[in-house]
Amino acid sequence: MRGRSYVVAAVLLATLALIAAWNSYDYPSYGGFDVAEHQAYADLLIHHGQIPGPETRSEYYTPPGFYALAGAATLLGEHIHRQDPHKLAQYMNWAVLVATAVVLLLLAREFFPRRPWLQAGALGYFCFLPVAFRLSAMFHPEPLSMLLTTVALLLAARMLVRRDFRPLPAIALGIALGAAQLVRAFSLWTFAAVVIAFAVAAFLRYAERRTVLTGLAVVVAACAAVASPWYIRQAIHYGNPVFDRPTEDRPIWERRPSSFYFGLGLPQVFTDPVRPNFVNEAMPTTYSDLWGDYFGVFGWDAAHAPTPRQHDELRQQSELGLLPTLLALAGWVALLAASIRRRAPAFLPVALLPGLGILGYLYFTASYPTPDGDVLKASYMLTTAPAWALAFGYAFDWIAARGGFVRAALVVLTVGSALLSIPFLVYGNPLGFL
């Protein structure tokens, strides 16, 4: 079975790499969320050594990590790809996506080295996740944030699983967590999950308490050394070190109606999952943006209504996303319960991250309400995607262990769903899929 698992992993990674490479090549460099602001930030940083301010319509509140790398790629593009220098940053995001998949596989094998069904399920979930393909094709910081947080999860897993709390691995973990915060503030959820896991490990005497706490202190110190200059700068300039945007002057629980939290968007979430349907309803909007293209930046053009073929693809994506969503939710609950029941803090960074991501996402989107629901983007939770993938793999493995007809049905359903999704994942449908 081990030999087969390597073949499955190779096929999945090759499929991911090929589709993402085409998307990076064919997706226009001027497309995507806030692309003009992202490119202006990178150009200003790399050419003038400056971070934009609020006087410009920019991403001035976003850390400069991605823009430094994307700007360097653009600078190279000005010499070797002059007709579209920003294209090289899209190719960089292609490499970032593939690297994330590889790190995810290593993470699954670190936790579950003898469970190939789990490894295949986790990697398969990630390799057919539409939001990851969409963001990696753009000039956008989220994929890099996802990679760095996945690296941090792997480093934390190795420390906890191997009970290795020496300074060197702790410093490496702290640097990864700090570097992630220099890309997007949404990586703070990962930092919180890691800190909680280490604190629980110390409380349970998973290893000698002083050793664990010393390792945690080194992690936090290394993270602070990397990320604190940015937070200090923002606090001095704008008062808010994380997100400098005006909020409504009323309690957060009064900023959104109950439909924001409990609206299901039925039946349109499955029949017509595009903007402006179910505006400012968190669950259906996020779900449609996760598995389809609610805002019309990849599978259809928001400036025009979807064509009949595009509409059919979007509707199909909403239907295909239901099974993996349910399995991922079930796997997350089961993994969290197993971590608590077995008193296994090693699993906690991954088990806690989806829940912390949901809470952080709801706090952010409730704090900054907009009439058009523009803040409800699944991309804001992209850093949690590897954890959701492992949760899916956990549920997938449990069902596969039943054997017989149940396993065969699961494989047929998941593989069939993945194959049906491929036309949607390939930008522009160049092969003429129906």
Side-chain angles (χ1 to χ4, degrees), residues 194-204 212-213 216:
V194 170
V195 170
I196 292 171
F198 272 70
V200 171
F203 176 77
L204 296 177
V212 178
L213 291 177
L216 175 58

Side-chain angles (χ1 to χ4, degrees), residues 231 234-245 368:
Y231 290 128
Q234 294 301 94
I236 292 173
H237 282 267
Y238 308 115
N240 188 327
V242 178
F243 191 70
D244 175 47
R245 287 286 184 164
Y368 302 94

Side-chain angles (χ1 to χ4, degrees), residues 130-271:
V131 67
F133 280 96
R134 185 170 69 244
L135 267 294
S136 68
M138 300 177 185
F139 192 106
H140 202 282
E142 294 294 358
L144 182 60
S145 178
M146 176 177 62
L147 171 60
L148 292 171
T149 55
T150 310
V151 169
L153 288 176
L154 176 60
L155 295 174
R158 287 183 171 175
M159 290 184 68
L160 290 165
V161 170
R162 303 175 187 184
R163 291 178 167 84
D164 181 3
F165 300 98
R166 293 174 299 163
L168 190 59
I171 291 172
L173 173 56
I175 291 174
L177 290 168
Q181 290 175 51
L182 286 182
V183 177
R184 290 290 263 185
F186 301 122
S187 61
L188 284 168
W189 306 331
T190 308
F191 175 78
V194 170
V195 170
I196 292 171
F198 272 70
V200 171
F203 176 77
L204 296 177
R205 296 190 182 276
Y206 182 71
E208 202 276 324
R209 182 172 293 174
R210 182 177 179 181
T211 302
V212 178
L213 291 177
T214 300
L216 175 58
V218 173
V219 169
V220 173
C223 178
V226 174
S228 60
W230 168 254
Y231 290 128
I232 292 171
R233 175 194 184 275
Q234 294 301 94
I236 292 173
H237 282 267
Y238 308 115
N240 188 327
V242 178
F243 191 70
D244 175 47
R245 287 286 184 164
T247 60
E248 294 187 1
D249 188 20
R250 54 177 171 165
I252 187 173
W253 56 87
E254 295 180 2
R255 297 177 191 174
R256 293 285 196 172
S258 60
S259 60
F260 172 80
Y261 301 99
F262 304 110
L264 299 177
L266 294 173
Q268 290 173 311
V269 68
F270 293 111
T271 61

